[in-house]
Structure formats: C-alpha cells, structure tokens
Amino acid sequence: MSDLLSLTFAALADPTRRAILARLSNGDATVNEIAAPFDMSLPAVSKHLKVLEAAGLITRSRTAQWRPCHLEAGPLKDADGWISAYRRFWEASFDRLDDYLRQLQAGDPEKTN
Amino acid sequence: MSDLLSLTFAALADPTRRAILARLSNGDATVNEIAAPFDMSLPAVSKHLKVLEAAGLITRSRTAQWRPCHLEAGPLKDADGWISAYRRFWEASFDRLDDYLRQLQAGDPEKTN
C-alpha cells in the first residue's frame, strides 16, 4: 500500500482528516487552530496531520516558528483523475433515470418502450 | 470509520482493489475471471471483493449460480463529489504555471511582473 494513490485514498478514509483538509481549504493554519473545533488531544490531531503529510496532502512550513499547515492539491488531482475514468458509469445511470422520468411524465410507463 | 465515504476511500486505498474495479468497468465477471490476472489465491481475491461489496462499490448477483460481480458507480460519484470541491486548487496551480510558461515564451522572465 506504498503507492501514492493508495496513500492518498487511505488518508481520505477518515472524517477528521477530511475535515482538516476542508479547514485548510480556507487558508493555512497552525496545529492549535486546526485542533480547536475538534474534541481531540493535540497528539491525536498531530497523528492525523502526519498521515496527511505522508500522503503529500499537506505541507508544513519549516521557517515559521508556528509551522502552519498548507493544503497541497496535487494528490487530490491524481485521485480525481483515477475516479474520473468511472464518470461515464454514474452519468449513464442518470441518463437512464432521466429517460424513465420522461416516460412517466409522458403518460403510462407500461405503454412506452 | 463507518461512514460510507470513509468506507469508499478505504476500499480504493489498495492497488488490487482498484484493478478489480477497472476489470469490472469492462463488464461483469465471476470471482475466477477476476482472479485470473492476479498472482493471488481465490480466498485473497474474495477478501478484496468483500471490502468492495461492504463499500457498495460492487454487487454480486444472487440468482446466477456463478454469482458475477457488478460495478456500482454510486459511491465513486460521492467520492468524486467530495474531491471536486478542491478542484479550484489544482486548477489555480495550473493557471499559475501557464502564466509562468507564457512569461518564459515572451522573453526574459526577469522583465515580466
């Protein structure tokens, strides 16, 4: 499970880590700022940040003393690229639902093809 | 980690499971057909299928004796929906790269803003 795409998906497989990324989408933040809305200890939050950092989803400044965390979208782009290959499947499902709803609106669905 | 989105991302966090989904994107397949290209035992493949099934990414026919597996795109659509909220970040990165490359083509980047 050492490939980057697997690391990315594994990092996203946790609601707290997804909430941290959502927080960072509003701007860089320190560990304390990230931890504030969660009922979690700082070490627990730090553990989540390490998982996100290992997957390349966040970086932490080495210069500023408070080491703010920064969202890195590259791995999300790769994950999106993988998933997008399957887009035709759910778009096809919606097309079929559209057809069915149109048949219903047109009258008795038993009489339509 | 019992929410469906977490289950989906966890199921995708494995190259074998992603390869199984890729196989099923070409059509329904039995466990034997799915296992064929992998150097894995049938029980190992079955374990992966159970993870995919628990996440709702595949369903297995209850009528046909050979119980073919079928790709279900719904959870992928939800995962795509979550990731798409971050699209502006990587699109912004590419816009900046575009600007930079245009500056390079225009001449000395030192003279540009």
Side-chain angles (χ1 to χ4, degrees), chain B residues 3-4 6 13 31 33 35 40-41 44 48 51-52 57 62 73 76 89-90 98-99:
Chain B
D3 68 295
L4 188 54
S6 296
V31 178
E33 287 168 340
M40 295 179 81
S41 65
H48 282 307
V51 175
L52 292 169
L57 286 159
R62 287 169 187 237
L76 291 175
F89 288 99
W90 68 77
D98 263 5
D99 288 348

Side-chain angles (χ1 to χ4, degrees), chain B residues 3-71:
Chain B
D3 68 295
L4 188 54
L5 199 50
S6 296
L7 280 178
T8 302
F9 282 131
L12 297 180
D14 181 278
T16 303
R17 288 196 291 269
R18 292 197 302 277
I20 290 172
L21 293 178
R23 166 64 188 82
L24 294 176
S25 75
N26 293 321
D28 295 359
T30 64
V31 178
N32 279 313
E33 287 168 340
I34 292 168
F38 298 108
D39 188 20
M40 295 179 81
S41 65
L42 279 184
V45 171
S46 287
K47 206 173 158 187
H48 282 307
L49 293 177
K50 279 195 176 68
V51 175
L52 292 169
E53 202 174 4
L57 286 159
I58 67 167
T59 49
R60 301 186 65 180
S61 166
R62 287 169 187 237
T63 50
Q65 197 192 339
W66 49 90
R67 302 197 67 208
C69 298
H70 177 78
L71 175 71

Side-chain angles (χ1 to χ4, degrees), chain B residues 71-108:
Chain B
L71 175 71
E72 298 289 346
L76 291 175
K77 181 177 185 289
D78 295 338
D80 182 75
W82 186 87
I83 291 177
S84 69
Y86 295 82
R87 197 160 289 151
R88 61 192 163 100
F89 288 99
W90 68 77
E91 282 171 352
S93 308
F94 274 103
D95 284 351
R96 282 199 299 275
L97 182 64
D98 263 5
D99 288 348
Y100 178 68
L101 292 175
R102 227 171 275 130
Q103 285 177 6
L104 282 182
Q105 287 180 327
D108 185 350

Side-chain angles (χ1 to χ4, degrees), chain A residues 36-97:
Chain A
F38 299 108
D39 187 20
M40 293 179 83
S41 66
L42 280 184
V45 171
S46 288
K47 206 172 157 188
H48 282 307
L49 293 176
K50 278 195 176 68
V51 175
L52 291 169
E53 202 174 4
L57 285 160
I58 67 167
T59 48
R60 301 188 64 180
S61 167
R62 289 173 185 233
T63 49
Q65 197 192 338
W66 48 90
R67 301 199 65 208
C69 298
H70 176 77
L71 175 71
E72 298 288 348
L76 291 175
K77 181 177 184 287
D78 295 338
D80 182 75
W82 186 86
I83 290 177
S84 69
Y86 295 83
R87 196 161 288 152
R88 63 192 162 100
F89 288 99
W90 69 77
E91 283 171 353
S93 308
F94 274 104
D95 284 351
R96 282 199 298 276
L97 182 63

